[in-house]
PDB file of all heavy atoms in Angstrom:
ATOM      1  N   ILE A 275     -12.626 -34.261 -49.926  1.00  0.00           N
ATOM      2  CA  ILE A 275     -12.798 -34.154 -51.383  1.00  0.00           C
ATOM      3  C   ILE A 275     -11.489 -33.769 -52.059  1.00  0.00           C
ATOM      4  O   ILE A 275     -11.061 -34.406 -53.033  1.00  0.00           O
ATOM      5  CB  ILE A 275     -13.899 -33.124 -51.716  1.00  0.00           C
ATOM      6  CG1 ILE A 275     -15.262 -33.610 -51.217  1.00  0.00           C
ATOM      7  CG2 ILE A 275     -13.943 -32.860 -53.222  1.00  0.00           C
ATOM      8  CD1 ILE A 275     -16.343 -32.549 -51.280  1.00  0.00           C
ATOM      9  N   PHE A 276     -10.834 -32.734 -51.529  1.00  0.00           N
ATOM     10  CA  PHE A 276      -9.608 -32.243 -52.144  1.00  0.00           C
ATOM     11  C   PHE A 276      -8.475 -33.256 -52.043  1.00  0.00           C
ATOM     12  O   PHE A 276      -7.610 -33.318 -52.913  1.00  0.00           O
ATOM     13  CB  PHE A 276      -9.200 -30.910 -51.534  1.00  0.00           C
ATOM     14  CG  PHE A 276     -10.148 -29.781 -51.850  1.00  0.00           C
ATOM     15  CD1 PHE A 276     -10.338 -28.733 -50.955  1.00  0.00           C
ATOM     16  CD2 PHE A 276     -10.859 -29.760 -53.030  1.00  0.00           C
ATOM     17  CE1 PHE A 276     -11.207 -27.697 -51.236  1.00  0.00           C
ATOM     18  CE2 PHE A 276     -11.735 -28.724 -53.330  1.00  0.00           C
ATOM     19  CZ  PHE A 276     -11.916 -27.693 -52.426  1.00  0.00           C
ATOM     20  N   ASN A 277      -8.499 -34.069 -51.000  1.00  0.00           N
ATOM     21  CA  ASN A 277      -7.493 -35.127 -50.879  1.00  0.00           C
ATOM     22  C   ASN A 277      -7.620 -36.122 -52.029  1.00  0.00           C
ATOM     23  O   ASN A 277      -6.628 -36.571 -52.602  1.00  0.00           O
ATOM     24  CB  ASN A 277      -7.630 -35.839 -49.533  1.00  0.00           C
ATOM     25  CG  ASN A 277      -6.623 -36.969 -49.360  1.00  0.00           C
ATOM     26  OD1 ASN A 277      -5.424 -36.761 -49.434  1.00  0.00           O
ATOM     27  ND2 ASN A 277      -7.117 -38.168 -49.140  1.00  0.00           N
ATOM     28  N   LEU A 278      -8.866 -36.446 -52.384  1.00  0.00           N
ATOM     29  CA  LEU A 278      -9.107 -37.356 -53.511  1.00  0.00           C
ATOM     30  C   LEU A 278      -8.688 -36.735 -54.840  1.00  0.00           C
ATOM     31  O   LEU A 278      -8.289 -37.430 -55.771  1.00  0.00           O
ATOM     32  CB  LEU A 278     -10.583 -37.744 -53.566  1.00  0.00           C
ATOM     33  CG  LEU A 278     -11.104 -38.614 -52.411  1.00  0.00           C
ATOM     34  CD1 LEU A 278     -12.626 -38.730 -52.475  1.00  0.00           C
ATOM     35  CD2 LEU A 278     -10.462 -39.991 -52.435  1.00  0.00           C
ATOM     36  N   LEU A 279      -8.772 -35.404 -54.906  1.00  0.00           N
ATOM     37  CA  LEU A 279      -8.441 -34.697 -56.136  1.00  0.00           C
ATOM     38  C   LEU A 279      -6.986 -34.262 -56.212  1.00  0.00           C
ATOM     39  O   LEU A 279      -6.559 -33.660 -57.203  1.00  0.00           O
ATOM     40  CB  LEU A 279      -9.343 -33.465 -56.286  1.00  0.00           C
ATOM     41  CG  LEU A 279     -10.855 -33.721 -56.342  1.00  0.00           C
ATOM     42  CD1 LEU A 279     -11.610 -32.404 -56.453  1.00  0.00           C
ATOM     43  CD2 LEU A 279     -11.203 -34.646 -57.505  1.00  0.00           C
ATOM     44  N   GLY A 280      -6.227 -34.539 -55.148  1.00  0.00           N
ATOM     45  CA  GLY A 280      -4.820 -34.160 -55.128  1.00  0.00           C
ATOM     46  C   GLY A 280      -4.592 -32.669 -54.965  1.00  0.00           C
ATOM     47  O   GLY A 280      -3.609 -32.116 -55.455  1.00  0.00           O
ATOM     48  N   ILE A 281      -5.492 -32.010 -54.268  1.00  0.00           N
ATOM     49  CA  ILE A 281      -5.399 -30.571 -54.032  1.00  0.00           C
ATOM     50  C   ILE A 281      -5.130 -30.320 -52.555  1.00  0.00           C
ATOM     51  O   ILE A 281      -5.727 -30.967 -51.689  1.00  0.00           O
ATOM     52  CB  ILE A 281      -6.698 -29.853 -54.458  1.00  0.00           C
ATOM     53  CG1 ILE A 281      -7.011 -30.112 -55.933  1.00  0.00           C
ATOM     54  CG2 ILE A 281      -6.606 -28.349 -54.196  1.00  0.00           C
ATOM     55  CD1 ILE A 281      -8.375 -29.594 -56.366  1.00  0.00           C
ATOM     56  N   ASP A 282      -4.245 -29.373 -52.245  1.00  0.00           N
ATOM     57  CA  ASP A 282      -3.921 -29.018 -50.868  1.00  0.00           C
ATOM     58  C   ASP A 282      -5.031 -28.123 -50.304  1.00  0.00           C
ATOM     59  O   ASP A 282      -5.238 -26.994 -50.763  1.00  0.00           O
ATOM     60  CB  ASP A 282      -2.578 -28.290 -50.802  1.00  0.00           C
ATOM     61  CG  ASP A 282      -2.101 -28.081 -49.364  1.00  0.00           C
ATOM     62  OD1 ASP A 282      -2.802 -27.401 -48.589  1.00  0.00           O
ATOM     63  OD2 ASP A 282      -1.026 -28.595 -49.012  1.00  0.00           O
ATOM     64  N   THR A 283      -5.747 -28.612 -49.311  1.00  0.00           N
ATOM     65  CA  THR A 283      -6.889 -27.899 -48.750  1.00  0.00           C
ATOM     66  C   THR A 283      -6.490 -26.557 -48.150  1.00  0.00           C
ATOM     67  O   THR A 283      -7.188 -25.554 -48.322  1.00  0.00           O
ATOM     68  CB  THR A 283      -7.587 -28.751 -47.673  1.00  0.00           C
ATOM     69  OG1 THR A 283      -7.935 -30.019 -48.231  1.00  0.00           O
ATOM     70  CG2 THR A 283      -8.851 -28.072 -47.171  1.00  0.00           C
ATOM     71  N   THR A 284      -5.371 -26.537 -47.441  1.00  0.00           N
ATOM     72  CA  THR A 284      -4.918 -25.288 -46.817  1.00  0.00           C
ATOM     73  C   THR A 284      -4.680 -24.207 -47.861  1.00  0.00           C
ATOM     74  O   THR A 284      -5.046 -23.046 -47.674  1.00  0.00           O
ATOM     75  CB  THR A 284      -3.641 -25.536 -45.997  1.00  0.00           C
ATOM     76  OG1 THR A 284      -3.916 -26.483 -44.958  1.00  0.00           O
ATOM     77  CG2 THR A 284      -3.146 -24.237 -45.355  1.00  0.00           C
ATOM     78  N   GLU A 285      -4.096 -24.586 -48.980  1.00  0.00           N
ATOM     79  CA  GLU A 285      -3.841 -23.615 -50.044  1.00  0.00           C
ATOM     80  C   GLU A 285      -5.146 -23.099 -50.647  1.00  0.00           C
ATOM     81  O   GLU A 285      -5.263 -21.915 -50.989  1.00  0.00           O
ATOM     82  CB  GLU A 285      -2.960 -24.242 -51.116  1.00  0.00           C
ATOM     83  CG  GLU A 285      -1.532 -24.525 -50.637  1.00  0.00           C
ATOM     84  CD  GLU A 285      -0.675 -25.235 -51.663  1.00  0.00           C
ATOM     85  OE1 GLU A 285      -1.232 -25.711 -52.684  1.00  0.00           O
ATOM     86  OE2 GLU A 285       0.552 -25.331 -51.450  1.00  0.00           O
ATOM     87  N   VAL A 286      -6.140 -23.993 -50.761  1.00  0.00           N
ATOM     88  CA  VAL A 286      -7.451 -23.583 -51.262  1.00  0.00           C
ATOM     89  C   VAL A 286      -8.105 -22.582 -50.308  1.00  0.00           C
ATOM     90  O   VAL A 286      -8.633 -21.549 -50.725  1.00  0.00           O
ATOM     91  CB  VAL A 286      -8.378 -24.794 -51.460  1.00  0.00           C
ATOM     92  CG1 VAL A 286      -9.780 -24.330 -51.883  1.00  0.00           C
ATOM     93  CG2 VAL A 286      -7.815 -25.747 -52.494  1.00  0.00           C
ATOM     94  N   LEU A 287      -8.044 -22.880 -49.026  1.00  0.00           N
ATOM     95  CA  LEU A 287      -8.659 -22.008 -48.025  1.00  0.00           C
ATOM     96  C   LEU A 287      -7.966 -20.649 -47.965  1.00  0.00           C
ATOM     97  O   LEU A 287      -8.613 -19.618 -47.760  1.00  0.00           O
ATOM     98  CB  LEU A 287      -8.640 -22.675 -46.652  1.00  0.00           C
ATOM     99  CG  LEU A 287      -9.517 -23.929 -46.510  1.00  0.00           C
ATOM    100  CD1 LEU A 287      -9.280 -24.599 -45.171  1.00  0.00           C
ATOM    101  CD2 LEU A 287     -10.992 -23.582 -46.664  1.00  0.00           C
ATOM    102  N   GLU A 288      -6.647 -20.650 -48.129  1.00  0.00           N
ATOM    103  CA  GLU A 288      -5.917 -19.386 -48.158  1.00  0.00           C
ATOM    104  C   GLU A 288      -6.341 -18.530 -49.346  1.00  0.00           C
ATOM    105  O   GLU A 288      -6.485 -17.309 -49.230  1.00  0.00           O
ATOM    106  CB  GLU A 288      -4.412 -19.650 -48.194  1.00  0.00           C
ATOM    107  CG  GLU A 288      -3.852 -20.154 -46.869  1.00  0.00           C
ATOM    108  CD  GLU A 288      -2.402 -20.576 -46.974  1.00  0.00           C
ATOM    109  OE1 GLU A 288      -1.869 -20.622 -48.112  1.00  0.00           O
ATOM    110  OE2 GLU A 288      -1.788 -20.886 -45.926  1.00  0.00           O
ATOM    111  N   ALA A 289      -6.556 -19.165 -50.483  1.00  0.00           N
ATOM    112  CA  ALA A 289      -7.004 -18.433 -51.671  1.00  0.00           C
ATOM    113  C   ALA A 289      -8.434 -17.921 -51.498  1.00  0.00           C
ATOM    114  O   ALA A 289      -8.724 -16.748 -51.757  1.00  0.00           O
ATOM    115  CB  ALA A 289      -6.909 -19.335 -52.905  1.00  0.00           C
ATOM    116  N   ALA A 290      -9.328 -18.802 -51.022  1.00  0.00           N
ATOM    117  CA  ALA A 290     -10.725 -18.406 -50.816  1.00  0.00           C
ATOM    118  C   ALA A 290     -10.855 -17.339 -49.735  1.00  0.00           C
ATOM    119  O   ALA A 290     -11.742 -16.484 -49.785  1.00  0.00           O
ATOM    120  CB  ALA A 290     -11.570 -19.625 -50.451  1.00  0.00           C
ATOM    121  N   GLY A 291      -9.957 -17.384 -48.773  1.00  0.00           N
ATOM    122  CA  GLY A 291      -9.988 -16.444 -47.663  1.00  0.00           C
ATOM    123  C   GLY A 291      -9.689 -15.008 -48.034  1.00  0.00           C
ATOM    124  O   GLY A 291      -9.855 -14.106 -47.212  1.00  0.00           O
ATOM    125  N   THR A 292      -9.264 -14.784 -49.258  1.00  0.00           N
ATOM    126  CA  THR A 292      -9.017 -13.411 -49.705  1.00  0.00           C
ATOM    127  C   THR A 292     -10.317 -12.659 -49.964  1.00  0.00           C
ATOM    128  O   THR A 292     -10.297 -11.433 -50.104  1.00  0.00           O
ATOM    129  CB  THR A 292      -8.151 -13.394 -50.977  1.00  0.00           C
ATOM    130  OG1 THR A 292      -8.829 -14.124 -52.026  1.00  0.00           O
ATOM    131  CG2 THR A 292      -6.796 -14.029 -50.720  1.00  0.00           C
ATOM    132  N   LYS A 293     -11.447 -13.376 -50.057  1.00  0.00           N
ATOM    133  CA  LYS A 293     -12.733 -12.700 -50.197  1.00  0.00           C
ATOM    134  C   LYS A 293     -13.207 -12.235 -48.825  1.00  0.00           C
ATOM    135  O   LYS A 293     -13.140 -12.967 -47.842  1.00  0.00           O
ATOM    136  CB  LYS A 293     -13.764 -13.636 -50.828  1.00  0.00           C
ATOM    137  CG  LYS A 293     -15.041 -12.920 -51.231  1.00  0.00           C
ATOM    138  CD  LYS A 293     -16.062 -13.826 -51.883  1.00  0.00           C
ATOM    139  CE  LYS A 293     -17.306 -13.048 -52.292  1.00  0.00           C
ATOM    140  NZ  LYS A 293     -18.369 -13.894 -52.852  1.00  0.00           N
ATOM    141  N   TRP A 294     -13.744 -10.981 -48.784  1.00  0.00           N
ATOM    142  CA  TRP A 294     -14.032 -10.333 -47.523  1.00  0.00           C
ATOM    143  C   TRP A 294     -15.035 -11.071 -46.653  1.00  0.00           C
ATOM    144  O   TRP A 294     -14.988 -10.971 -45.430  1.00  0.00           O
ATOM    145  CB  TRP A 294     -14.533  -8.901 -47.773  1.00  0.00           C
ATOM    146  CG  TRP A 294     -15.941  -8.835 -48.321  1.00  0.00           C
ATOM    147  CD1 TRP A 294     -17.098  -8.713 -47.599  1.00  0.00           C
ATOM    148  CD2 TRP A 294     -16.351  -8.939 -49.689  1.00  0.00           C
ATOM    149  NE1 TRP A 294     -18.203  -8.724 -48.435  1.00  0.00           N
ATOM    150  CE2 TRP A 294     -17.764  -8.845 -49.728  1.00  0.00           C
ATOM    151  CE3 TRP A 294     -15.664  -9.078 -50.901  1.00  0.00           C
ATOM    152  CZ2 TRP A 294     -18.490  -8.910 -50.904  1.00  0.00           C
ATOM    153  CZ3 TRP A 294     -16.392  -9.130 -52.079  1.00  0.00           C
ATOM    154  CH2 TRP A 294     -17.785  -9.045 -52.063  1.00  0.00           C
ATOM    155  N   ASN A 295     -15.971 -11.816 -47.272  1.00  0.00           N
ATOM    156  CA  ASN A 295     -17.025 -12.454 -46.486  1.00  0.00           C
ATOM    157  C   ASN A 295     -16.855 -13.960 -46.348  1.00  0.00           C
ATOM    158  O   ASN A 295     -17.783 -14.658 -45.943  1.00  0.00           O
ATOM    159  CB  ASN A 295     -18.410 -12.135 -47.064  1.00  0.00           C
ATOM    160  CG  ASN A 295     -18.596 -12.648 -48.479  1.00  0.00           C
ATOM    161  OD1 ASN A 295     -17.643 -13.105 -49.126  1.00  0.00           O
ATOM    162  ND2 ASN A 295     -19.821 -12.568 -48.983  1.00  0.00           N
ATOM    163  N   PHE A 296     -15.661 -14.459 -46.673  1.00  0.00           N
ATOM    164  CA  PHE A 296     -15.387 -15.883 -46.488  1.00  0.00           C
ATOM    165  C   PHE A 296     -14.993 -16.139 -45.041  1.00  0.00           C
ATOM    166  O   PHE A 296     -14.121 -15.450 -44.494  1.00  0.00           O
ATOM    167  CB  PHE A 296     -14.271 -16.347 -47.428  1.00  0.00           C
ATOM    168  CG  PHE A 296     -14.005 -17.831 -47.354  1.00  0.00           C
ATOM    169  CD1 PHE A 296     -14.767 -18.711 -48.091  1.00  0.00           C
ATOM    170  CD2 PHE A 296     -12.999 -18.338 -46.541  1.00  0.00           C
ATOM    171  CE1 PHE A 296     -14.534 -20.075 -48.029  1.00  0.00           C
ATOM    172  CE2 PHE A 296     -12.753 -19.699 -46.475  1.00  0.00           C
ATOM    173  CZ  PHE A 296     -13.522 -20.568 -47.212  1.00  0.00           C
ATOM    174  N   LEU A 297     -15.647 -17.113 -44.413  1.00  0.00           N
ATOM    175  CA  LEU A 297     -15.342 -17.462 -43.029  1.00  0.00           C
ATOM    176  C   LEU A 297     -14.153 -18.410 -42.994  1.00  0.00           C
ATOM    177  O   LEU A 297     -14.205 -19.498 -43.565  1.00  0.00           O
ATOM    178  CB  LEU A 297     -16.561 -18.121 -42.364  1.00  0.00           C
ATOM    179  CG  LEU A 297     -17.832 -17.268 -42.321  1.00  0.00           C
ATOM    180  CD1 LEU A 297     -18.989 -18.059 -41.729  1.00  0.00           C
ATOM    181  CD2 LEU A 297     -17.596 -16.000 -41.530  1.00  0.00           C
ATOM    182  N   LYS A 298     -13.073 -18.004 -42.325  1.00  0.00           N
ATOM    183  CA  LYS A 298     -11.801 -18.714 -42.406  1.00  0.00           C
ATOM    184  C   LYS A 298     -11.688 -19.849 -41.380  1.00  0.00           C
ATOM    185  O   LYS A 298     -10.833 -19.844 -40.493  1.00  0.00           O
ATOM    186  CB  LYS A 298     -10.644 -17.728 -42.248  1.00  0.00           C
ATOM    187  CG  LYS A 298     -10.595 -16.677 -43.355  1.00  0.00           C
ATOM    188  CD  LYS A 298      -9.443 -15.716 -43.178  1.00  0.00           C
ATOM    189  CE  LYS A 298      -9.453 -14.657 -44.276  1.00  0.00           C
ATOM    190  NZ  LYS A 298      -8.340 -13.682 -44.124  1.00  0.00           N
ATOM    191  N   PHE A 299     -12.581 -20.827 -41.507  1.00  0.00           N
ATOM    192  CA  PHE A 299     -12.455 -22.028 -40.695  1.00  0.00           C
ATOM    193  C   PHE A 299     -11.453 -22.982 -41.338  1.00  0.00           C
ATOM    194  O   PHE A 299     -11.270 -22.982 -42.557  1.00  0.00           O
ATOM    195  CB  PHE A 299     -13.806 -22.724 -40.536  1.00  0.00           C
ATOM    196  CG  PHE A 299     -14.749 -21.991 -39.631  1.00  0.00           C
ATOM    197  CD1 PHE A 299     -15.635 -21.055 -40.142  1.00  0.00           C
ATOM    198  CD2 PHE A 299     -14.743 -22.222 -38.271  1.00  0.00           C
ATOM    199  CE1 PHE A 299     -16.502 -20.366 -39.315  1.00  0.00           C
ATOM    200  CE2 PHE A 299     -15.612 -21.540 -37.437  1.00  0.00           C
ATOM    201  CZ  PHE A 299     -16.489 -20.609 -37.958  1.00  0.00           C
ATOM    202  N   ARG A 300     -10.792 -23.788 -40.498  1.00  0.00           N
ATOM    203  CA  ARG A 300      -9.806 -24.746 -40.990  1.00  0.00           C
ATOM    204  C   ARG A 300     -10.245 -26.157 -40.620  1.00  0.00           C
ATOM    205  O   ARG A 300     -10.938 -26.362 -39.617  1.00  0.00           O
ATOM    206  CB  ARG A 300      -8.425 -24.459 -40.395  1.00  0.00           C
ATOM    207  CG  ARG A 300      -7.872 -23.092 -40.766  1.00  0.00           C
ATOM    208  CD  ARG A 300      -6.575 -22.826 -40.059  1.00  0.00           C
ATOM    209  NE  ARG A 300      -5.489 -23.664 -40.566  1.00  0.00           N
ATOM    210  CZ  ARG A 300      -4.691 -23.333 -41.559  1.00  0.00           C
ATOM    211  NH1 ARG A 300      -4.846 -22.171 -42.157  1.00  0.00           N
ATOM    212  NH2 ARG A 300      -3.708 -24.142 -41.951  1.00  0.00           N
ATOM    213  N   PRO A 301      -9.852 -27.145 -41.399  1.00  0.00           N
ATOM    214  CA  PRO A 301     -10.205 -28.524 -41.055  1.00  0.00           C
ATOM    215  C   PRO A 301      -9.461 -28.988 -39.810  1.00  0.00           C
ATOM    216  O   PRO A 301      -8.429 -28.425 -39.447  1.00  0.00           O
ATOM    217  CB  PRO A 301      -9.760 -29.310 -42.297  1.00  0.00           C
ATOM    218  CG  PRO A 301      -8.665 -28.488 -42.899  1.00  0.00           C
ATOM    219  CD  PRO A 301      -9.046 -27.059 -42.638  1.00  0.00           C
ATOM    220  N   GLY A 302      -9.979 -30.022 -39.163  1.00  0.00           N
ATOM    221  CA  GLY A 302      -9.301 -30.556 -37.990  1.00  0.00           C
ATOM    222  C   GLY A 302     -10.196 -31.440 -37.156  1.00  0.00           C
ATOM    223  O   GLY A 302     -11.348 -31.725 -37.500  1.00  0.00           O
ATOM    224  N   LEU A 303      -9.663 -31.891 -36.030  1.00  0.00           N
ATOM    225  CA  LEU A 303     -10.414 -32.685 -35.073  1.00  0.00           C
ATOM    226  C   LEU A 303     -11.266 -31.737 -34.231  1.00  0.00           C
ATOM    227  O   LEU A 303     -10.770 -30.727 -33.748  1.00  0.00           O
ATOM    228  CB  LEU A 303      -9.459 -33.472 -34.170  1.00  0.00           C
ATOM    229  CG  LEU A 303      -8.439 -34.372 -34.867  1.00  0.00           C
ATOM    230  CD1 LEU A 303      -7.517 -35.005 -33.838  1.00  0.00           C
ATOM    231  CD2 LEU A 303      -9.124 -35.438 -35.701  1.00  0.00           C
ATOM    232  N   VAL A 304     -12.509 -32.061 -34.052  1.00  0.00           N
ATOM    233  CA  VAL A 304     -13.422 -31.189 -33.318  1.00  0.00           C
ATOM    234  C   VAL A 304     -13.834 -31.869 -32.025  1.00  0.00           C
ATOM    235  O   VAL A 304     -14.748 -32.694 -31.988  1.00  0.00           O
ATOM    236  CB  VAL A 304     -14.664 -30.835 -34.156  1.00  0.00           C
ATOM    237  CG1 VAL A 304     -15.496 -29.774 -33.432  1.00  0.00           C
ATOM    238  CG2 VAL A 304     -14.254 -30.329 -35.529  1.00  0.00           C
ATOM    239  N   GLY A 305     -13.133 -31.538 -30.949  1.00  0.00           N
ATOM    240  CA  GLY A 305     -13.428 -32.107 -29.642  1.00  0.00           C
ATOM    241  C   GLY A 305     -13.710 -31.011 -28.636  1.00  0.00           C
ATOM    242  O   GLY A 305     -14.204 -29.941 -28.971  1.00  0.00           O
ATOM    243  N   GLY A 306     -13.380 -31.284 -27.389  1.00  0.00           N
ATOM    244  CA  GLY A 306     -13.635 -30.310 -26.337  1.00  0.00           C
ATOM    245  C   GLY A 306     -15.015 -30.496 -25.754  1.00  0.00           C
ATOM    246  O   GLY A 306     -15.904 -31.105 -26.356  1.00  0.00           O
ATOM    247  N   HIS A 307     -15.222 -29.939 -24.575  1.00  0.00           N
ATOM    248  CA  HIS A 307     -16.465 -30.174 -23.862  1.00  0.00           C
ATOM    249  C   HIS A 307     -17.654 -29.478 -24.500  1.00  0.00           C
ATOM    250  O   HIS A 307     -18.764 -29.982 -24.437  1.00  0.00           O
ATOM    251  CB  HIS A 307     -16.343 -29.719 -22.408  1.00  0.00           C
ATOM    252  CG  HIS A 307     -17.594 -29.962 -21.631  1.00  0.00           C
ATOM    253  ND1 HIS A 307     -18.086 -31.221 -21.401  1.00  0.00           N
ATOM    254  CD2 HIS A 307     -18.489 -29.109 -21.088  1.00  0.00           C
ATOM    255  CE1 HIS A 307     -19.227 -31.131 -20.732  1.00  0.00           C
ATOM    256  NE2 HIS A 307     -19.487 -29.861 -20.533  1.00  0.00           N
TER     257      HIS A 307
END
């Protein structure tokens, strides 16, 4: 979504992550067994 809007996702997550109960997951490839 943010890519379509021209917003840097990492920067958004860093800002949202300042709230104590925000779970700091990051986007990426999800593999592994």
